[in-house]
Amino acid sequence: SIPPDAITATGLLVGCGRGRQWTMAVQSLGDMLSAGVEPSLIVLNAAILAVERAPMWNQAISMLASVAERRLAPDAQSFTAAIAAARARCRWPSAASWARAC
């Protein structure tokens, strides 16, 4: 068993996104948090990107909120992926209002 860290978590999440295993990406992030592993901005961005094309736009927005809750500074990739997820599901107003709140 490989201990979870930023590198393994990012690789797993990127793989989930590419393989369209969106539910697994969300579950893996949850498992990581339950194990007490504090995610970096890179890990959270990978998670947001993993669900970007999924019918899970609300998960992407929740993950973006998690970035701020963890006192990390969202970057362009964070916002772009979350907004793209919301836009893909015709939820543009939700993404835009959240982005303004940050």
Side-chain angles (χ1 to χ4, degrees):
S1 168
I2 299 172
D5 62 11
I7 295 169
T8 56
T10 301
L12 173 66
L13 293 167
V14 167
C16 287
R18 287 183 181 160
R20 298 182 178 206
Q21 298 298 314
W22 306 303
T23 303
M24 183 182 286
V26 173
Q27 180 180 357
S28 296
L29 181 62
D31 291 347
M32 189 174 101
L33 296 173
S34 294
V37 177
E38 191 61 32
S40 66
L41 180 61
I42 293 168
V43 170
L44 291 169
N45 281 349
I48 295 168
L49 285 167
V51 300
E52 175 187 353
R53 293 187 188 102
M56 303 172 79
W57 70 272
N58 54 339
Q59 289 290 337
I61 299 297
S62 293
M63 289 175 193
L64 180 60
S66 175
V67 171
E69 290 167 4
R70 295 180 183 293
R71 302 196 190 286
L72 299 170
D75 62 10
Q77 187 176 18
S78 310
F79 286 111
T80 301
I83 289 169
R87 185 187 69 221
R89 298 292 164 208
C90 300
R91 302 294 185 179
W92 173 251
S94 298
S97 67
W98 200 94
R100 280 193 296 272
C102 289

